[in-house]
Amino acid sequence: MFQLDKVQKIDIQELLQVTEEAKSQGKRFVTINCVDLGEELDLLYHFDKDLVVNSYRLTVSKGVEVPSISNIYISGLLIENELQDMYGLKFEGLVLDYHQKLLTVEEISQPLTVSNLGVQYVTKSSKKEVVTVGS
Amino acid sequence: MARKIQMPFGPQHPVLPEPIQLKLVLEDEKVVEAIPNLGYVHRGLEGLVTKKDYNQMIYVAERICGICSFQHALVLSMAVESIWKVEVPERANYLRVFWAELHRLHSHLLWLGLAVEAFGFESLFMQSWKIREKVLDVFEATAGARVIISTCTYGGVKRDVSPELAKWSLEKIAEVEQELKAIEKVFVNDYTVKRRTVGIGVLDKQTAEQFAVVGPMMRASGIKQDTRELGFAAYGDLDWEPVVEQTGDCYARILVRLKESFQAIDLVRQALDKMPQGEIITKLKGNPPAGEAFARVEQPRGELTYYVKTNGTANLERMHVRTPTFANVPSLLAMLPGSELADVPVIILTIDPCISCAER
């Protein structure tokens, strides 16, 4: 019910087309999730119709500008601005661009990137066993 | 031709319990443009996944919002349980509905009070909050805390409700229902309430779809959708229908939340009545396996989504929260232009903004 086994992978050229199709089918935009994979960012777009969610996975290299869907779904503007703040991602054509200052300030830049989190995973069984991702 | 001025509304404003700013462009007293501004209290709680293990993250999730803390714990539990492929005991599912609906009830009572206080109806505000205290009494008796109750966890719930406690809770809820019925007609029929809300801040069905609003905002605009229809916890076994209104104005949002308050009382009764005997938790050992899940529940303010990615360690790799306020704030871009400045506080409050949710 909740697992994301059937996410459709798309590339950056397909994003706006997929979004337009979702809109024309009367789907509601839900949100975008983002995970920092190190060299790349994993973006998950979710659309809902009658409580069925369709999800699309877009993996982009860091530094690549992603087309904004806010021209199609205006409700996408806040999450796209949030992702700009948190990951330094740049959305091209945002209808309202807060220029990475929606939620954060200049002193706190891209706080959810792996390099800034300095990820340390401590397993429960052994507090000494530490898996470090990023710096 | 009227002179245009730009005016900041907030972040500190008498009607706003939490900070949000709107840059309003006015022509005389009429709003022509509104740009929302967030970021005053952002806490970076999602970043704590690297510092807190998955058990501790339940407590972090609950602290995203003090009003709907149970739903935050519930949806995080559901996401991790789906990765872990855990079956939650039936009794726990009914107890989850019991506490979730009590949270909806106290949240709506809190909001109903705040909404009428925005136009100076102090006595109705105090009555609403007085009734709400009884719901918090039920939390205290059943969970040991009045606000953040920490009863939901991975695999079920941490506390059971004995038959004596269930009986006492139902008596308290009956008092809440009786007292709410006494003030219901004021919310529905009072001249002041209607004068300040009917035809104000209208969001028609088409615009509501365009702005992808959720929860009571969506249902007040004629869209019949409620995440509880997915049937999670025990909702699929209970008898209920989403509350829908058609006019899309501030008055319709009051009616939806008022009717949902009575519906929450009914669902609490149904949950306690139909609750089977049995275990309340499936004990889990070790760490959740690697995987990812996207879960959602109906929080009092609307659809709440959690994306969770695990990697087999004690820490979640990523937890992303999309709260209903985050989904509903953009609709202010549609509702505020054309409204009178005096109506701005009422319109903002009718989205039931929870800034601590939005700025988790």
Side-chain angles (χ1 to χ4, degrees):
Chain A
M1 186 176 175
F2 305 111
Q3 284 197 297
L4 293 163
D5 301 331
K6 292 176 185 169
V7 179
Q8 190 181 329
K9 284 191 178 182
I10 54 168
D11 61 36
I12 203 161
Q13 287 78 30
E14 293 174 297
L15 175 63
L16 292 183
Q17 186 196 337
V18 161
T19 311
E20 289 276 12
E21 279 172 15
K23 175 96 174 187
S24 65
Q25 289 163 4
K27 291 177 182 167
R28 174 174 61 88
F29 168 71
V30 181
T31 193
I32 309 168
N33 304 130
C34 182
V35 181
D36 187 349
L37 303 174
E39 299 295 314
E40 295 174 315
L41 293 169
D42 205 16
L43 296 166
L44 277 164
Y45 288 76
H46 305 283
F47 303 95
D48 169 284
K49 185 164 173 64
D50 300 330
L51 293 173
V52 176
V53 169
N54 290 106
S55 303
Y56 300 91
R57 188 186 303 278
L58 171 66
T59 307
V60 291
S61 301
K62 285 185 177 174
V64 170
E65 286 197 8
V66 178
S68 168
I69 64 163
S70 60
N71 271 310
I72 304 165
Y73 283 104
I74 193 167
S75 51
L77 75 94
L78 278 189
I79 184 62
E80 289 187 337
N81 273 287
E82 177 183 312
L83 295 180
Q84 290 197 152
D85 286 10
M86 298 296 158
Y87 294 93
L89 189 60
K90 177 72 187 155
F91 284 96
E92 191 184 353
L94 247 172
V95 292
L96 185 58
D97 194 342
Y98 291 82
H99 302 287
Q100 298 188 14
K101 291 187 185 64
L102 172 69
L103 297 172
T104 55
V105 290
E106 282 163 5
E107 292 79 13
I108 307 167
S109 177
Q110 305 168 21
L112 290 185
T113 52
V114 166
S115 56
N116 281 340
L117 282 172
V119 184
Q120 284 200 326
Y121 297 124
V122 183
T123 61
K124 273 194 89 175
S125 54
S126 166
K127 291 283 181 189
K128 289 177 186 169
E129 191 183 337
V130 177
V131 182
T132 305
V133 181
S135 57
Chain B
M1 186 179 162
R3 191 166 62 101
K4 277 189 182 177
I5 60 162
Q6 189 172 331
M7 191 184 111
F9 182 92
Q12 307 300 327
H13 188 280
V15 301
L16 295 174
E18 296 176 280
I20 179 173
Q21 192 198 45
L22 285 138
K23 286 178 183 157
L24 301 177
V25 177
L26 303 169
E27 262 181 18
D28 290 338
E29 292 285 305
K30 199 169 277 294
V31 178
V32 292
E33 195 183 346
I35 306 290
N37 217 353
L38 297 165
Y40 294 96
V41 288
H42 193 265
R43 294 164 291 164
L45 295 179
E46 290 171 2
L48 286 177
V49 288
T50 59
K51 297 176 180 67
K52 307 287 180 190
D53 70 31
Y54 71 95
N55 277 317
Q56 293 169 320
M57 281 311 290
I58 283 246
Y59 297 98
V60 173
E62 283 179 321
R63 278 147 185 84
I64 288 174
C65 177
I67 306 302
C68 52
S69 60
F70 187 84
Q71 273 91 348
H72 280 277
L74 174 60
V75 66
L76 175 58
S77 300
M78 284 163 52
V80 174
E81 284 158 6
S82 82
I83 294 172
W84 221 324
K85 297 186 170 40
V86 179
E87 279 292 320
V88 176
E90 272 298 282
R91 187 173 177 84
N93 278 327
Y94 281 84
L95 286 167
R96 283 178 170 186
V97 169
F98 168 70
W99 279 306
E101 289 309 309
L102 286 175
H103 271 78
R104 190 176 322 283
L105 178 58
H106 96 87
S107 175
H108 281 356
L109 284 167
L110 181 140
W111 178 82
L112 286 164
L114 287 176
V116 293
E117 195 209 17
F119 48 83
F121 208 148
E122 295 289 337
S123 56
L124 194 53
F125 156 68
M126 285 185 259
Q127 286 297 326
S128 304
W129 280 40
K130 185 183 133 199
I131 299 169
R132 175 177 171 262
E133 284 298 307
K134 292 193 174 173
V135 185
L136 304 188
D137 290 343
V138 178
F139 285 147
E140 191 173 4
T142 56
R146 293 178 73 80
V147 181
I148 296 176
I149 62 171
S150 295
T151 51
C152 191
T153 191
Y154 308 111
V157 292
K158 293 183 206 162
R159 279 177 178 254
D160 206 345
V161 175
S162 66
E164 298 76 30
L165 208 45
K167 184 170 174 283
W168 180 86
S169 300
L170 288 172
E171 285 167 11
K172 276 280 172 189
I173 293 303
E175 288 175 28
V176 170
E177 185 181 36
Q178 192 183 1
E179 291 176 21
L180 186 56
K181 270 185 180 159
I183 60 169
E184 178 191 14
K185 50 182 173 288
V186 186
F187 281 108
V188 176
N189 300 323
D190 184 82
Y191 173 80
T192 308
V193 175
K194 291 178 94 167
R195 178 73 182 81
R196 294 301 308 272
T197 57
V198 172
I200 305 292
V202 175
L203 193 68
D204 61 50
K205 189 175 178 180
Q206 193 181 358
T207 315
E209 285 170 346
Q210 189 187 345
F211 279 82
V213 295
V214 295
M217 288 286 295
M218 169 195 257
R219 293 188 286 277
S221 295
I223 303 170
K224 189 182 176 188
Q225 188 173 317
D226 189 315
T227 316
R228 290 174 289 175
E229 291 176 286
L230 285 168
F232 61 86
Y235 284 109
D237 300 330
L238 304 178
D239 183 24
W240 67 282
E241 280 279 312
V243 174
V244 182
E245 289 289 329
Q246 301 298 331
T247 50
D249 55 4
C250 294
Y251 184 65
R253 285 165 221 142
I254 287 179
L255 294 183
V256 167
R257 292 190 179 101
L258 193 58
K259 289 175 184 175
E260 285 189 356
S261 301
F262 288 111
Q263 185 182 62
I265 290 170
D266 182 49
L267 286 169
V268 166
R269 286 193 179 120
Q270 285 192 50
L272 289 178
D273 185 43
K274 295 181 179 174
M275 187 163 64
Q277 293 297 322
E279 297 293 319
I280 59 166
I281 189 164
T282 303
K283 294 275 185 193
L284 301 168
K285 286 183 179 172
N287 300 324
E292 59 178 347
F294 180 77
R296 49 193 181 147
V297 298
E298 189 74 14
Q299 199 214 50
R301 296 175 176 86
E303 179 194 60
L304 168 68
T305 76
Y306 267 55
Y307 167 78
V308 171
K309 188 171 184 184
T310 53
N311 52 16
T313 70
N315 291 74
L316 306 178
E317 188 170 324
R318 176 81 171 103
M319 180 184 91
H320 180 236
V321 184
R322 201 298 317 273
T323 63
T325 297
F326 208 74
N328 286 336
V329 162
S331 67
L332 292 172
L333 296 173
M335 288 192 292
L336 289 176
S339 65
E340 294 293 323
L341 177 61
D343 293 327
V344 170
V346 182
I347 295 170
I348 293 173
L349 274 180
T350 56
I351 74 166
D352 195 2
C354 178
I355 307 306
S356 62
C357 269
E359 303 207 16
R360 66 277 168 209

